Each structure stands twice: as structure tokens, then as C-alpha cells.
Amino acid sequence: MEKYYCKYCGMEYSSIRSLTAASCPRHPAGSCKGKHAPYEGSEKSEYTCKYCGQKYSSIRSLTSASCPRHPDGSCKGKHSPAL
Ligand SMILES: [Zn+2]
Ligand SMILES: [Zn+2]
């Protein structure tokens, strides 16, 4: 079965349709101010933050931590997975 992950929070869905229908608790505009967005990279054993290069074993743990090199300012946002 295909799996799709939200690039903001790492939540897992079986279809893009159901993923984009639900509000995202880690949406960049604010908690639940927008929908989940699909991560467009392939499934990996390790995910790298596109801003700072830190590595995490899941999108969920990557997006739960603040990024020291976030474009909005140091630790003003979460890590974001590179594709
Ligand atoms: Zn999400
Ligand atoms: Zn980062």
C-alpha cells in the first residue's frame, strides 16, 4: 500500500486525498490554520533538514524540532525535510 507523509508534521495517510482533507497541527501559518501537504520525496531511512542539514529517522521527529537555520530566523520555525 502506498503511504503519503505530510511534509509539515509527518502524519501518515494512505492517499493524498485524505491527507490534504485534514488540518495540520504544524502548518507554517499556525496550528490547524491549513491542511496537511504531501511530502513529495521518496520514503527514506533518514531525512535531512533542507535548511540546516540535521538528520532524523522520521519526518515526524524532524518537523517536531526547531531549526537553527530557519529562513524566518533562528528557531522561529521547524526543520523542513529535503526531497
Ligand atoms: Zn501535517
Ligand atoms: Zn533544520
Side-chain angles (χ1 to χ4, degrees):
M1 195 174 76
E2 294 268 7
K3 278 192 274 185
Y4 300 94
Y5 296 93
C6 172
K7 65 179 173 184
Y8 305 134
C9 70
M11 223 176 266
E12 188 184 313
Y13 286 86
S14 58
S15 73
I16 289 182
R17 176 182 287 235
S18 51
L19 184 150
T20 54
S23 295
C24 181
R26 291 198 196 129
H27 193 277
S31 188
C32 296
K33 294 229 171 111
K35 307 297 187 189
H36 296 295
Y39 172 66
E40 290 172 80
S42 55
E43 199 168 352
K44 300 175 178 65
S45 57
E46 224 176 33
Y47 296 89
T48 307
C49 173
K50 67 180 175 187
Y51 306 131
C52 71
Q54 273 190 63
K55 290 187 164 92
Y56 288 85
S57 59
S58 70
I59 297 179
R60 186 178 287 250
S61 53
L62 184 148
T63 55
S64 68
S66 295
C67 182
R69 297 208 192 126
H70 193 277
D72 291 345
S74 188
C75 295
K76 295 232 169 104
K78 306 299 186 187
H79 296 295
S80 183
L83 294 184

